[in-house]
Amino acid sequence: MDEKPMTRFDIRLRSGGYILPAIGLFLWIVGVGVPIVAWLTNTPIYNRNTGQPGDALSLSGVLFAVASAMIGMILIRVGGAIRRAYRNGRRSGF
């Protein structure tokens, strides 16, 4: 069976399948791990609106944790989909 050769775009896209999950894992750890440690140690977080230390369970801290975890999981899933597509022999066509 004749397969199309991998182009530069395919090579870059395939390497993105490994880089995106690494970035996603880092975001997930930052978004979930750091707030958990702050909550467990009850470390005050600087509140830029008032200029005073704030509670780690503040709304902005929770929203940051949720948003980072969601973006991290999306990047992990997209990277996995790219790797599966190239493992199955697909090409971009560019």
Side-chain angles (χ1 to χ4, degrees):
M1 189 162 178
D2 224 6
E3 287 188 17
K4 293 181 185 177
M6 299 239 336
T7 63
R8 283 187 192 183
F9 183 74
D10 287 328
I11 293 169
R12 289 182 183 148
L13 193 61
R14 187 182 63 182
S15 66
Y18 294 97
I19 294 171
L20 287 177
I23 294 171
L25 184 61
F26 175 75
L27 278 176
W28 193 88
I29 289 172
V30 166
V32 174
V34 172
I36 285 176
V37 170
W39 294 331
L40 291 176
T41 61
N42 202 16
T43 305
I45 295 176
Y46 179 74
N47 187 347
R48 66 185 170 103
N49 296 327
T50 62
Q52 301 291 325
D55 186 19
L57 289 173
S58 65
L59 179 63
S60 62
V62 172
L63 289 177
F64 171 76
V66 170
S68 295
M70 288 176 61
I71 292 170
M73 286 305 299
I74 289 170
L75 290 175
I76 290 170
R77 303 275 297 196
V78 167
I82 291 171
R83 284 195 320 271
R84 278 191 304 278
Y86 278 98
R87 192 177 320 130
N88 292 334
R90 294 193 183 140
R91 300 292 183 259
S92 67
F94 291 112

